[in-house]
PDB file of all heavy atoms in Angstrom:
ATOM      1  N   ARG A   1      -8.368  -5.748 -13.232  1.00  0.00           N
ATOM      2  CA  ARG A   1      -8.965  -6.453 -14.374  1.00  0.00           C
ATOM      3  C   ARG A   1      -9.538  -5.476 -15.399  1.00  0.00           C
ATOM      4  O   ARG A   1      -9.428  -5.698 -16.614  1.00  0.00           O
ATOM      5  CB  ARG A   1     -10.052  -7.420 -13.907  1.00  0.00           C
ATOM      6  CG  ARG A   1      -9.540  -8.550 -13.027  1.00  0.00           C
ATOM      7  CD  ARG A   1     -10.561  -9.693 -12.927  1.00  0.00           C
ATOM      8  NE  ARG A   1     -11.914  -9.228 -12.647  1.00  0.00           N
ATOM      9  CZ  ARG A   1     -12.391  -8.971 -11.432  1.00  0.00           C
ATOM     10  NH1 ARG A   1     -11.607  -9.103 -10.373  1.00  0.00           N
ATOM     11  NH2 ARG A   1     -13.637  -8.576 -11.271  1.00  0.00           N
ATOM     12  N   GLU A   2     -10.151  -4.390 -14.919  1.00  0.00           N
ATOM     13  CA  GLU A   2     -10.739  -3.424 -15.853  1.00  0.00           C
ATOM     14  C   GLU A   2      -9.667  -2.669 -16.631  1.00  0.00           C
ATOM     15  O   GLU A   2      -9.869  -2.309 -17.787  1.00  0.00           O
ATOM     16  CB  GLU A   2     -11.649  -2.457 -15.098  1.00  0.00           C
ATOM     17  CG  GLU A   2     -12.960  -3.086 -14.651  1.00  0.00           C
ATOM     18  CD  GLU A   2     -13.898  -2.059 -14.037  1.00  0.00           C
ATOM     19  OE1 GLU A   2     -14.097  -1.000 -14.659  1.00  0.00           O
ATOM     20  OE2 GLU A   2     -14.403  -2.318 -12.933  1.00  0.00           O
ATOM     21  N   ILE A   3      -8.510  -2.413 -16.004  1.00  0.00           N
ATOM     22  CA  ILE A   3      -7.402  -1.782 -16.723  1.00  0.00           C
ATOM     23  C   ILE A   3      -6.980  -2.671 -17.890  1.00  0.00           C
ATOM     24  O   ILE A   3      -6.805  -2.208 -19.023  1.00  0.00           O
ATOM     25  CB  ILE A   3      -6.210  -1.527 -15.777  1.00  0.00           C
ATOM     26  CG1 ILE A   3      -6.528  -0.390 -14.811  1.00  0.00           C
ATOM     27  CG2 ILE A   3      -4.941  -1.204 -16.576  1.00  0.00           C
ATOM     28  CD1 ILE A   3      -5.507  -0.226 -13.691  1.00  0.00           C
ATOM     29  N   VAL A   4      -6.839  -3.969 -17.612  1.00  0.00           N
ATOM     30  CA  VAL A   4      -6.438  -4.915 -18.654  1.00  0.00           C
ATOM     31  C   VAL A   4      -7.501  -4.980 -19.760  1.00  0.00           C
ATOM     32  O   VAL A   4      -7.179  -4.973 -20.947  1.00  0.00           O
ATOM     33  CB  VAL A   4      -6.201  -6.310 -18.045  1.00  0.00           C
ATOM     34  CG1 VAL A   4      -5.975  -7.342 -19.140  1.00  0.00           C
ATOM     35  CG2 VAL A   4      -5.011  -6.272 -17.102  1.00  0.00           C
ATOM     36  N   ALA A   5      -8.759  -5.039 -19.352  1.00  0.00           N
ATOM     37  CA  ALA A   5      -9.833  -5.109 -20.347  1.00  0.00           C
ATOM     38  C   ALA A   5      -9.848  -3.873 -21.231  1.00  0.00           C
ATOM     39  O   ALA A   5     -10.029  -3.963 -22.452  1.00  0.00           O
ATOM     40  CB  ALA A   5     -11.187  -5.277 -19.637  1.00  0.00           C
ATOM     41  N   ARG A   6      -9.632  -2.702 -20.634  1.00  0.00           N
ATOM     42  CA  ARG A   6      -9.631  -1.460 -21.424  1.00  0.00           C
ATOM     43  C   ARG A   6      -8.404  -1.403 -22.337  1.00  0.00           C
ATOM     44  O   ARG A   6      -8.506  -0.944 -23.478  1.00  0.00           O
ATOM     45  CB  ARG A   6      -9.657  -0.248 -20.486  1.00  0.00           C
ATOM     46  CG  ARG A   6      -9.818   1.097 -21.188  1.00  0.00           C
ATOM     47  CD  ARG A   6     -11.140   1.168 -21.964  1.00  0.00           C
ATOM     48  NE  ARG A   6     -12.296   0.864 -21.153  1.00  0.00           N
ATOM     49  CZ  ARG A   6     -13.080   1.783 -20.595  1.00  0.00           C
ATOM     50  NH1 ARG A   6     -12.815   3.069 -20.776  1.00  0.00           N
ATOM     51  NH2 ARG A   6     -14.132   1.424 -19.877  1.00  0.00           N
ATOM     52  N   LEU A   7      -7.264  -1.904 -21.851  1.00  0.00           N
ATOM     53  CA  LEU A   7      -6.056  -1.945 -22.672  1.00  0.00           C
ATOM     54  C   LEU A   7      -6.229  -2.911 -23.839  1.00  0.00           C
ATOM     55  O   LEU A   7      -5.713  -2.668 -24.932  1.00  0.00           O
ATOM     56  CB  LEU A   7      -4.866  -2.364 -21.801  1.00  0.00           C
ATOM     57  CG  LEU A   7      -3.477  -2.339 -22.436  1.00  0.00           C
ATOM     58  CD1 LEU A   7      -3.084  -0.921 -22.857  1.00  0.00           C
ATOM     59  CD2 LEU A   7      -2.443  -2.918 -21.458  1.00  0.00           C
ATOM     60  N   GLY A   8      -6.961  -3.992 -23.598  1.00  0.00           N
ATOM     61  CA  GLY A   8      -7.242  -4.950 -24.664  1.00  0.00           C
ATOM     62  C   GLY A   8      -6.281  -6.127 -24.731  1.00  0.00           C
ATOM     63  O   GLY A   8      -6.448  -7.028 -25.559  1.00  0.00           O
ATOM     64  N   HIS A   9      -5.294  -6.138 -23.871  1.00  0.00           N
ATOM     65  CA  HIS A   9      -4.344  -7.250 -23.791  1.00  0.00           C
ATOM     66  C   HIS A   9      -3.673  -7.207 -22.420  1.00  0.00           C
ATOM     67  O   HIS A   9      -3.859  -6.248 -21.671  1.00  0.00           O
ATOM     68  CB  HIS A   9      -3.321  -7.197 -24.935  1.00  0.00           C
ATOM     69  CG  HIS A   9      -2.686  -5.869 -25.113  1.00  0.00           C
ATOM     70  ND1 HIS A   9      -3.057  -4.986 -26.109  1.00  0.00           N
ATOM     71  CD2 HIS A   9      -1.703  -5.242 -24.419  1.00  0.00           C
ATOM     72  CE1 HIS A   9      -2.327  -3.897 -26.018  1.00  0.00           C
ATOM     73  NE2 HIS A   9      -1.504  -4.022 -25.006  1.00  0.00           N
ATOM     74  N   PRO A  10      -2.880  -8.227 -22.076  1.00  0.00           N
ATOM     75  CA  PRO A  10      -2.391  -8.331 -20.697  1.00  0.00           C
ATOM     76  C   PRO A  10      -1.448  -7.211 -20.265  1.00  0.00           C
ATOM     77  O   PRO A  10      -0.840  -6.515 -21.077  1.00  0.00           O
ATOM     78  CB  PRO A  10      -1.645  -9.679 -20.691  1.00  0.00           C
ATOM     79  CG  PRO A  10      -2.252 -10.449 -21.803  1.00  0.00           C
ATOM     80  CD  PRO A  10      -2.565  -9.436 -22.860  1.00  0.00           C
ATOM     81  N   VAL A  11      -1.356  -7.104 -18.946  1.00  0.00           N
ATOM     82  CA  VAL A  11      -0.394  -6.226 -18.282  1.00  0.00           C
ATOM     83  C   VAL A  11       0.662  -7.112 -17.626  1.00  0.00           C
ATOM     84  O   VAL A  11       0.314  -8.067 -16.914  1.00  0.00           O
ATOM     85  CB  VAL A  11      -1.095  -5.359 -17.209  1.00  0.00           C
ATOM     86  CG1 VAL A  11      -0.086  -4.741 -16.241  1.00  0.00           C
ATOM     87  CG2 VAL A  11      -1.923  -4.259 -17.867  1.00  0.00           C
ATOM     88  N   LEU A  12       1.931  -6.829 -17.894  1.00  0.00           N
ATOM     89  CA  LEU A  12       2.999  -7.516 -17.174  1.00  0.00           C
ATOM     90  C   LEU A  12       2.939  -7.085 -15.716  1.00  0.00           C
ATOM     91  O   LEU A  12       2.713  -5.908 -15.424  1.00  0.00           O
ATOM     92  CB  LEU A  12       4.364  -7.147 -17.748  1.00  0.00           C
ATOM     93  CG  LEU A  12       5.535  -7.809 -17.007  1.00  0.00           C
ATOM     94  CD1 LEU A  12       5.960  -9.084 -17.715  1.00  0.00           C
ATOM     95  CD2 LEU A  12       6.715  -6.864 -16.874  1.00  0.00           C
ATOM     96  N   THR A  13       3.135  -8.018 -14.789  1.00  0.00           N
ATOM     97  CA  THR A  13       3.019  -7.676 -13.376  1.00  0.00           C
ATOM     98  C   THR A  13       4.116  -8.308 -12.546  1.00  0.00           C
ATOM     99  O   THR A  13       4.536  -9.438 -12.805  1.00  0.00           O
ATOM    100  CB  THR A  13       1.641  -8.122 -12.822  1.00  0.00           C
ATOM    101  OG1 THR A  13       1.531  -7.760 -11.451  1.00  0.00           O
ATOM    102  CG2 THR A  13       1.447  -9.631 -12.945  1.00  0.00           C
ATOM    103  N   THR A  14       4.604  -7.569 -11.566  1.00  0.00           N
ATOM    104  CA  THR A  14       5.540  -8.073 -10.569  1.00  0.00           C
ATOM    105  C   THR A  14       5.299  -7.293  -9.278  1.00  0.00           C
ATOM    106  O   THR A  14       5.066  -6.081  -9.311  1.00  0.00           O
ATOM    107  CB  THR A  14       7.011  -7.934 -11.031  1.00  0.00           C
ATOM    108  OG1 THR A  14       7.887  -8.400  -9.987  1.00  0.00           O
ATOM    109  CG2 THR A  14       7.375  -6.495 -11.349  1.00  0.00           C
ATOM    110  N   SER A  15       5.313  -7.984  -8.155  1.00  0.00           N
ATOM    111  CA  SER A  15       5.002  -7.340  -6.881  1.00  0.00           C
ATOM    112  C   SER A  15       6.065  -6.308  -6.506  1.00  0.00           C
ATOM    113  O   SER A  15       7.234  -6.454  -6.851  1.00  0.00           O
ATOM    114  CB  SER A  15       4.912  -8.387  -5.760  1.00  0.00           C
ATOM    115  OG  SER A  15       3.834  -9.260  -5.990  1.00  0.00           O
ATOM    116  N   ILE A  16       5.632  -5.274  -5.778  1.00  0.00           N
ATOM    117  CA  ILE A  16       6.591  -4.297  -5.269  1.00  0.00           C
ATOM    118  C   ILE A  16       7.476  -4.962  -4.217  1.00  0.00           C
ATOM    119  O   ILE A  16       7.093  -5.949  -3.593  1.00  0.00           O
ATOM    120  CB  ILE A  16       5.889  -3.072  -4.646  1.00  0.00           C
ATOM    121  CG1 ILE A  16       5.012  -3.498  -3.443  1.00  0.00           C
ATOM    122  CG2 ILE A  16       5.080  -2.311  -5.692  1.00  0.00           C
ATOM    123  CD1 ILE A  16       4.504  -2.343  -2.617  1.00  0.00           C
ATOM    124  N   THR A  17       8.667  -4.418  -4.039  1.00  0.00           N
ATOM    125  CA  THR A  17       9.525  -4.826  -2.926  1.00  0.00           C
ATOM    126  C   THR A  17       9.424  -3.757  -1.839  1.00  0.00           C
ATOM    127  O   THR A  17       9.197  -2.579  -2.136  1.00  0.00           O
ATOM    128  CB  THR A  17      10.984  -4.980  -3.379  1.00  0.00           C
ATOM    129  OG1 THR A  17      11.391  -3.793  -4.068  1.00  0.00           O
ATOM    130  CG2 THR A  17      11.130  -6.168  -4.317  1.00  0.00           C
ATOM    131  N   TYR A  18       9.599  -4.160  -0.597  1.00  0.00           N
ATOM    132  CA  TYR A  18       9.458  -3.207   0.503  1.00  0.00           C
ATOM    133  C   TYR A  18      10.291  -3.690   1.686  1.00  0.00           C
ATOM    134  O   TYR A  18      10.602  -4.882   1.821  1.00  0.00           O
ATOM    135  CB  TYR A  18       7.991  -3.072   0.912  1.00  0.00           C
ATOM    136  CG  TYR A  18       7.373  -4.356   1.419  1.00  0.00           C
ATOM    137  CD1 TYR A  18       7.340  -4.640   2.781  1.00  0.00           C
ATOM    138  CD2 TYR A  18       6.842  -5.301   0.529  1.00  0.00           C
ATOM    139  CE1 TYR A  18       6.791  -5.823   3.246  1.00  0.00           C
ATOM    140  CE2 TYR A  18       6.300  -6.485   0.997  1.00  0.00           C
ATOM    141  CZ  TYR A  18       6.269  -6.741   2.350  1.00  0.00           C
ATOM    142  OH  TYR A  18       5.739  -7.912   2.808  1.00  0.00           O
ATOM    143  N   GLN A  19      10.655  -2.760   2.561  1.00  0.00           N
ATOM    144  CA  GLN A  19      11.434  -3.099   3.746  1.00  0.00           C
ATOM    145  C   GLN A  19      10.607  -3.030   5.022  1.00  0.00           C
ATOM    146  O   GLN A  19      10.957  -3.626   6.031  1.00  0.00           O
ATOM    147  CB  GLN A  19      12.641  -2.156   3.859  1.00  0.00           C
ATOM    148  CG  GLN A  19      13.651  -2.345   2.739  1.00  0.00           C
ATOM    149  CD  GLN A  19      14.858  -1.439   2.901  1.00  0.00           C
ATOM    150  OE1 GLN A  19      14.762  -0.350   3.459  1.00  0.00           O
ATOM    151  NE2 GLN A  19      15.997  -1.892   2.404  1.00  0.00           N
ATOM    152  N   ASP A  20       9.521  -2.317   4.966  1.00  0.00           N
ATOM    153  CA  ASP A  20       8.670  -2.138   6.135  1.00  0.00           C
ATOM    154  C   ASP A  20       7.229  -2.392   5.702  1.00  0.00           C
ATOM    155  O   ASP A  20       6.815  -1.958   4.624  1.00  0.00           O
ATOM    156  CB  ASP A  20       8.829  -0.709   6.667  1.00  0.00           C
ATOM    157  CG  ASP A  20       8.024  -0.456   7.934  1.00  0.00           C
ATOM    158  OD1 ASP A  20       6.781  -0.412   7.828  1.00  0.00           O
ATOM    159  OD2 ASP A  20       8.626  -0.292   8.999  1.00  0.00           O
ATOM    160  N   GLU A  21       6.456  -3.092   6.538  1.00  0.00           N
ATOM    161  CA  GLU A  21       5.088  -3.452   6.148  1.00  0.00           C
ATOM    162  C   GLU A  21       4.229  -2.239   5.814  1.00  0.00           C
ATOM    163  O   GLU A  21       3.332  -2.320   4.974  1.00  0.00           O
ATOM    164  CB  GLU A  21       4.426  -4.298   7.235  1.00  0.00           C
ATOM    165  CG  GLU A  21       4.944  -5.717   7.290  1.00  0.00           C
ATOM    166  CD  GLU A  21       4.063  -6.614   8.139  1.00  0.00           C
ATOM    167  OE1 GLU A  21       3.036  -6.126   8.673  1.00  0.00           O
ATOM    168  OE2 GLU A  21       4.393  -7.812   8.248  1.00  0.00           O
ATOM    169  N   ASP A  22       4.482  -1.119   6.481  1.00  0.00           N
ATOM    170  CA  ASP A  22       3.715   0.086   6.170  1.00  0.00           C
ATOM    171  C   ASP A  22       3.914   0.496   4.717  1.00  0.00           C
ATOM    172  O   ASP A  22       3.011   1.056   4.090  1.00  0.00           O
ATOM    173  CB  ASP A  22       4.133   1.241   7.091  1.00  0.00           C
ATOM    174  CG  ASP A  22       3.614   1.070   8.510  1.00  0.00           C
ATOM    175  OD1 ASP A  22       2.681   0.257   8.700  1.00  0.00           O
ATOM    176  OD2 ASP A  22       4.137   1.738   9.413  1.00  0.00           O
ATOM    177  N   TYR A  23       5.109   0.226   4.186  1.00  0.00           N
ATOM    178  CA  TYR A  23       5.413   0.584   2.796  1.00  0.00           C
ATOM    179  C   TYR A  23       4.882  -0.467   1.807  1.00  0.00           C
ATOM    180  O   TYR A  23       5.062  -0.329   0.604  1.00  0.00           O
ATOM    181  CB  TYR A  23       6.921   0.789   2.611  1.00  0.00           C
ATOM    182  CG  TYR A  23       7.389   2.130   3.109  1.00  0.00           C
ATOM    183  CD1 TYR A  23       7.694   2.333   4.447  1.00  0.00           C
ATOM    184  CD2 TYR A  23       7.497   3.219   2.239  1.00  0.00           C
ATOM    185  CE1 TYR A  23       8.103   3.571   4.922  1.00  0.00           C
ATOM    186  CE2 TYR A  23       7.902   4.465   2.699  1.00  0.00           C
ATOM    187  CZ  TYR A  23       8.209   4.632   4.040  1.00  0.00           C
ATOM    188  OH  TYR A  23       8.607   5.869   4.496  1.00  0.00           O
ATOM    189  N   ALA A  24       4.251  -1.499   2.318  1.00  0.00           N
ATOM    190  CA  ALA A  24       3.538  -2.450   1.468  1.00  0.00           C
ATOM    191  C   ALA A  24       2.043  -2.147   1.470  1.00  0.00           C
ATOM    192  O   ALA A  24       1.360  -2.335   0.471  1.00  0.00           O
ATOM    193  CB  ALA A  24       3.770  -3.877   1.956  1.00  0.00           C
ATOM    194  N   ARG A  25       1.553  -1.647   2.603  1.00  0.00           N
ATOM    195  CA  ARG A  25       0.115  -1.443   2.765  1.00  0.00           C
ATOM    196  C   ARG A  25      -0.367  -0.045   2.374  1.00  0.00           C
ATOM    197  O   ARG A  25      -1.393   0.100   1.704  1.00  0.00           O
ATOM    198  CB  ARG A  25      -0.283  -1.689   4.229  1.00  0.00           C
ATOM    199  CG  ARG A  25      -0.069  -3.109   4.706  1.00  0.00           C
ATOM    200  CD  ARG A  25      -0.514  -3.238   6.162  1.00  0.00           C
ATOM    201  NE  ARG A  25      -0.318  -4.569   6.703  1.00  0.00           N
ATOM    202  CZ  ARG A  25      -1.151  -5.585   6.524  1.00  0.00           C
ATOM    203  NH1 ARG A  25      -2.247  -5.409   5.802  1.00  0.00           N
ATOM    204  NH2 ARG A  25      -0.906  -6.764   7.070  1.00  0.00           N
ATOM    205  N   ASN A  26       0.368   0.973   2.790  1.00  0.00           N
ATOM    206  CA  ASN A  26      -0.098   2.352   2.658  1.00  0.00           C
ATOM    207  C   ASN A  26       0.229   2.923   1.282  1.00  0.00           C
ATOM    208  O   ASN A  26       1.400   3.107   0.942  1.00  0.00           O
ATOM    209  CB  ASN A  26       0.558   3.211   3.740  1.00  0.00           C
ATOM    210  CG  ASN A  26      -0.011   4.612   3.801  1.00  0.00           C
ATOM    211  OD1 ASN A  26      -0.094   5.295   2.780  1.00  0.00           O
ATOM    212  ND2 ASN A  26      -0.384   5.055   4.981  1.00  0.00           N
ATOM    213  N   PRO A  27      -0.792   3.233   0.460  1.00  0.00           N
ATOM    214  CA  PRO A  27      -0.537   3.721  -0.893  1.00  0.00           C
ATOM    215  C   PRO A  27       0.321   4.986  -0.941  1.00  0.00           C
ATOM    216  O   PRO A  27       1.159   5.136  -1.846  1.00  0.00           O
ATOM    217  CB  PRO A  27      -1.942   3.987  -1.446  1.00  0.00           C
ATOM    218  CG  PRO A  27      -2.838   3.108  -0.649  1.00  0.00           C
ATOM    219  CD  PRO A  27      -2.237   3.058   0.716  1.00  0.00           C
ATOM    220  N   GLU A  28       0.127   5.890   0.040  1.00  0.00           N
ATOM    221  CA  GLU A  28       0.921   7.121   0.038  1.00  0.00           C
ATOM    222  C   GLU A  28       2.397   6.834   0.293  1.00  0.00           C
ATOM    223  O   GLU A  28       3.277   7.448  -0.322  1.00  0.00           O
ATOM    224  CB  GLU A  28       0.370   8.096   1.083  1.00  0.00           C
ATOM    225  CG  GLU A  28      -1.007   8.647   0.729  1.00  0.00           C
ATOM    226  CD  GLU A  28      -1.495   9.659   1.752  1.00  0.00           C
ATOM    227  OE1 GLU A  28      -0.733   9.994   2.685  1.00  0.00           O
ATOM    228  OE2 GLU A  28      -2.651  10.108   1.619  1.00  0.00           O
ATOM    229  N   LEU A  29       2.687   5.884   1.172  1.00  0.00           N
ATOM    230  CA  LEU A  29       4.072   5.518   1.449  1.00  0.00           C
ATOM    231  C   LEU A  29       4.677   4.749   0.270  1.00  0.00           C
ATOM    232  O   LEU A  29       5.860   4.902  -0.039  1.00  0.00           O
ATOM    233  CB  LEU A  29       4.159   4.676   2.728  1.00  0.00           C
ATOM    234  CG  LEU A  29       3.820   5.402   4.029  1.00  0.00           C
ATOM    235  CD1 LEU A  29       3.892   4.439   5.211  1.00  0.00           C
ATOM    236  CD2 LEU A  29       4.746   6.593   4.248  1.00  0.00           C
ATOM    237  N   ILE A  30       3.863   3.943  -0.387  1.00  0.00           N
ATOM    238  CA  ILE A  30       4.337   3.232  -1.584  1.00  0.00           C
ATOM    239  C   ILE A  30       4.717   4.243  -2.664  1.00  0.00           C
ATOM    240  O   ILE A  30       5.772   4.141  -3.294  1.00  0.00           O
ATOM    241  CB  ILE A  30       3.258   2.263  -2.108  1.00  0.00           C
ATOM    242  CG1 ILE A  30       2.986   1.156  -1.087  1.00  0.00           C
ATOM    243  CG2 ILE A  30       3.687   1.654  -3.454  1.00  0.00           C
ATOM    244  CD1 ILE A  30       1.772   0.304  -1.400  1.00  0.00           C
ATOM    245  N   ALA A  31       3.857   5.254  -2.845  1.00  0.00           N
ATOM    246  CA  ALA A  31       4.153   6.299  -3.834  1.00  0.00           C
ATOM    247  C   ALA A  31       5.443   7.026  -3.483  1.00  0.00           C
ATOM    248  O   ALA A  31       6.271   7.319  -4.358  1.00  0.00           O
ATOM    249  CB  ALA A  31       2.984   7.286  -3.913  1.00  0.00           C
ATOM    250  N   GLU A  32       5.623   7.289  -2.192  1.00  0.00           N
ATOM    251  CA  GLU A  32       6.846   7.962  -1.737  1.00  0.00           C
ATOM    252  C   GLU A  32       8.079   7.116  -2.063  1.00  0.00           C
ATOM    253  O   GLU A  32       9.095   7.624  -2.541  1.00  0.00           O
ATOM    254  CB  GLU A  32       6.747   8.184  -0.229  1.00  0.00           C
ATOM    255  CG  GLU A  32       7.989   8.759   0.419  1.00  0.00           C
ATOM    256  CD  GLU A  32       7.889   8.744   1.934  1.00  0.00           C
ATOM    257  OE1 GLU A  32       6.913   9.313   2.470  1.00  0.00           O
ATOM    258  OE2 GLU A  32       8.771   8.138   2.582  1.00  0.00           O
ATOM    259  N   ALA A  33       7.987   5.808  -1.827  1.00  0.00           N
ATOM    260  CA  ALA A  33       9.132   4.916  -2.038  1.00  0.00           C
ATOM    261  C   ALA A  33       9.497   4.788  -3.510  1.00  0.00           C
ATOM    262  O   ALA A  33      10.670   4.592  -3.853  1.00  0.00           O
ATOM    263  CB  ALA A  33       8.828   3.537  -1.444  1.00  0.00           C
ATOM    264  N   PHE A  34       8.510   4.911  -4.390  1.00  0.00           N
ATOM    265  CA  PHE A  34       8.768   4.692  -5.818  1.00  0.00           C
ATOM    266  C   PHE A  34       8.784   5.994  -6.628  1.00  0.00           C
ATOM    267  O   PHE A  34       8.818   5.957  -7.853  1.00  0.00           O
ATOM    268  CB  PHE A  34       7.737   3.712  -6.396  1.00  0.00           C
ATOM    269  CG  PHE A  34       8.016   2.285  -6.024  1.00  0.00           C
ATOM    270  CD1 PHE A  34       7.486   1.746  -4.854  1.00  0.00           C
ATOM    271  CD2 PHE A  34       8.826   1.488  -6.816  1.00  0.00           C
ATOM    272  CE1 PHE A  34       7.756   0.434  -4.490  1.00  0.00           C
ATOM    273  CE2 PHE A  34       9.094   0.166  -6.476  1.00  0.00           C
ATOM    274  CZ  PHE A  34       8.560  -0.356  -5.308  1.00  0.00           C
ATOM    275  N   GLU A  35       8.760   7.123  -5.943  1.00  0.00           N
ATOM    276  CA  GLU A  35       8.836   8.421  -6.624  1.00  0.00           C
ATOM    277  C   GLU A  35      10.097   8.466  -7.491  1.00  0.00           C
ATOM    278  O   GLU A  35      11.198   8.156  -7.051  1.00  0.00           O
ATOM    279  CB  GLU A  35       8.881   9.550  -5.601  1.00  0.00           C
ATOM    280  CG  GLU A  35       8.974  10.934  -6.207  1.00  0.00           C
ATOM    281  CD  GLU A  35       7.736  11.325  -6.968  1.00  0.00           C
ATOM    282  OE1 GLU A  35       6.614  11.074  -6.460  1.00  0.00           O
ATOM    283  OE2 GLU A  35       7.886  11.865  -8.081  1.00  0.00           O
ATOM    284  N   GLY A  36       9.907   8.826  -8.762  1.00  0.00           N
ATOM    285  CA  GLY A  36      11.036   8.929  -9.680  1.00  0.00           C
ATOM    286  C   GLY A  36      11.458   7.610 -10.299  1.00  0.00           C
ATOM    287  O   GLY A  36      12.338   7.584 -11.164  1.00  0.00           O
ATOM    288  N   ARG A  37      10.843   6.517  -9.869  1.00  0.00           N
ATOM    289  CA  ARG A  37      11.218   5.198 -10.396  1.00  0.00           C
ATOM    290  C   ARG A  37      10.147   4.611 -11.305  1.00  0.00           C
ATOM    291  O   ARG A  37      10.435   3.758 -12.145  1.00  0.00           O
ATOM    292  CB  ARG A  37      11.511   4.245  -9.242  1.00  0.00           C
ATOM    293  CG  ARG A  37      12.659   4.741  -8.355  1.00  0.00           C
ATOM    294  CD  ARG A  37      12.664   4.066  -6.997  1.00  0.00           C
ATOM    295  NE  ARG A  37      12.971   2.653  -7.086  1.00  0.00           N
ATOM    296  CZ  ARG A  37      12.749   1.778  -6.099  1.00  0.00           C
ATOM    297  NH1 ARG A  37      12.201   2.200  -4.965  1.00  0.00           N
ATOM    298  NH2 ARG A  37      13.072   0.522  -6.235  1.00  0.00           N
ATOM    299  N   VAL A  38       8.904   5.037 -11.084  1.00  0.00           N
ATOM    300  CA  VAL A  38       7.819   4.664 -11.990  1.00  0.00           C
ATOM    301  C   VAL A  38       7.153   5.948 -12.470  1.00  0.00           C
ATOM    302  O   VAL A  38       7.404   7.028 -11.950  1.00  0.00           O
ATOM    303  CB  VAL A  38       6.784   3.735 -11.307  1.00  0.00           C
ATOM    304  CG1 VAL A  38       7.445   2.477 -10.785  1.00  0.00           C
ATOM    305  CG2 VAL A  38       6.054   4.456 -10.189  1.00  0.00           C
ATOM    306  N   ASP A  39       6.284   5.812 -13.479  1.00  0.00           N
ATOM    307  CA  ASP A  39       5.709   7.012 -14.102  1.00  0.00           C
ATOM    308  C   ASP A  39       4.415   7.485 -13.448  1.00  0.00           C
ATOM    309  O   ASP A  39       4.141   8.685 -13.392  1.00  0.00           O
ATOM    310  CB  ASP A  39       5.468   6.742 -15.592  1.00  0.00           C
ATOM    311  CG  ASP A  39       6.761   6.393 -16.304  1.00  0.00           C
ATOM    312  OD1 ASP A  39       7.721   7.173 -16.201  1.00  0.00           O
ATOM    313  OD2 ASP A  39       6.821   5.331 -16.955  1.00  0.00           O
TER     314      ASP A  39
END
């Protein structure tokens, strides 16, 4: 919410996709899965 408030308008959002629950929960594994795909 604070990111949106600082931006001053909405953020488009869509949930990540994952194949293993660890890659949904663990931020380090999420970063590993999306390396090179997001900024």
Side-chain angles (χ1 to χ4, degrees):
R1 296 197 313 275
E2 287 186 49
I3 288 170
V4 172
R6 187 61 54 98
L7 186 63
H9 49 258
V11 164
L12 178 96
T13 181
T14 178
S15 295
I16 61 169
T17 51
Y18 62 94
Q19 294 182 331
D20 183 290
E21 286 193 1
D22 287 343
Y23 281 84
R25 296 181 181 278
N26 188 309
E28 292 183 4
L29 292 178
I30 295 170
E32 175 189 304
F34 283 89
E35 179 67 44
R37 300 162 67 196
V38 302
D39 300 306

